[in-house]
Amino acid sequence: MTKLTTKLENLDAGHILDVATGSGNLLKYLVDTVSNYSEATGIDTKEATASPFPKTFDQNPRVHYLTMAAEKMDFPDSSFDTVSISNSLHHLEDPERVLCEMLRVLKPGGAFIINEMYCDCNQTPAQQTHVLLHHWWAAVDRTHNVIHNETYTRQELLDFAARLPLERIEME
């Protein structure tokens, strides 16, 4: 069991928001792992990307999907106890704007979770292969005018987090 899983098992997550949720993989992990949550919402800009979402959560009335832009969410300030984003920062035109918007809708003292692949530091050969494949796919997407940057370095991700007025940052 990882340190992150242990922390999540002890987290009373309250109302969860998962940004750029896609099929809801991270949100599924969160609702299955946290000690408690009241409600969970996944947002994404494309219905097609999230087509598996309803099947994943069809038996869970506390989980909802909304089509919404992450850069300008239709939620009041301090709406969520936990906000998360997974493997999506490199798909965004302005990741810092999205992170600031996530912070805006997070209640003071809430949990802010960033789960993102990175392209350096002590990776296994399988992880390195995945990153290289991902960078190739990003290059293909960009030829079709799809926003898809190469993955960030670990330091770049830490720098994104450091620029946010968060009380505490932990890296797992």
Side-chain angles (χ1 to χ4, degrees):
M1 183 177 311
T2 67
K3 287 182 190 179
L4 177 60
T5 300
T6 301
K7 287 178 183 184
L8 289 174
E9 286 176 340
N10 294 307
L11 178 65
D12 184 351
H15 192 178
I16 302 169
L17 173 65
D18 187 38
V19 174
T21 196
S23 61
N25 290 337
L26 179 65
L27 192 55
K28 174 82 170 119
Y29 173 71
L30 290 173
V31 300
D32 288 347
T33 307
V34 297
S35 68
N36 188 34
Y37 73 99
S38 58
E39 188 175 1
T41 303
I43 66 166
D44 209 311
T45 57
K46 301 175 191 138
E47 284 280 345
T49 305
S51 60
F53 193 97
K55 288 183 182 175
T56 303
F57 298 104
D58 66 346
Q59 301 300 314
N60 191 335
R62 295 189 295 164
V63 179
H64 315 281
Y65 175 83
L66 297 170
T67 302
M68 186 181 301
E71 296 85 4
K72 188 169 180 358
M73 295 183 225
D74 297 329
F75 301 116
D77 295 355
S78 305
S79 298
F80 297 91
D81 303 286
T82 301
V83 296
S84 62
I85 189 166
S86 181
N87 294 320
S88 297
L89 290 176
H90 63 282
H91 288 276
L92 302 172
E93 186 172 358
D94 189 348
E96 291 194 65
R97 182 174 173 197
V98 172
L99 294 172
C100 288
E101 184 68 356
M102 290 171 63
L103 189 60
R104 180 189 67 78
V105 300
L106 180 65
K107 291 179 182 175
F112 193 106
I113 300 168
I114 300 172
N115 178 51
E116 186 77 13
M117 64 188 300
Y118 54 88
C119 62
D120 62 342
C121 297
N122 302 325
Q123 293 175 311
T124 67
Q127 289 169 323
Q128 291 170 352
T129 300
H130 185 216
V131 166
L132 291 172
L133 179 60
H134 204 86
H135 288 188
W136 175 82
W137 195 255
V140 170
D141 279 349
R142 287 192 305 273
T143 66
H144 295 93
N145 295 317
V146 173
I147 297 169
H148 191 170
N149 301 302
E150 290 189 358
T151 56
Y152 296 104
T153 65
R154 189 172 190 266
Q155 187 59 54
E156 287 172 316
L157 294 171
L158 286 169
D159 291 345
F160 280 141
R163 286 190 288 272
L164 296 170
L166 298 169
E167 292 175 19
R168 189 177 84 237
I169 297 173
E170 296 177 33
M171 181 76 154
E172 299 293 339

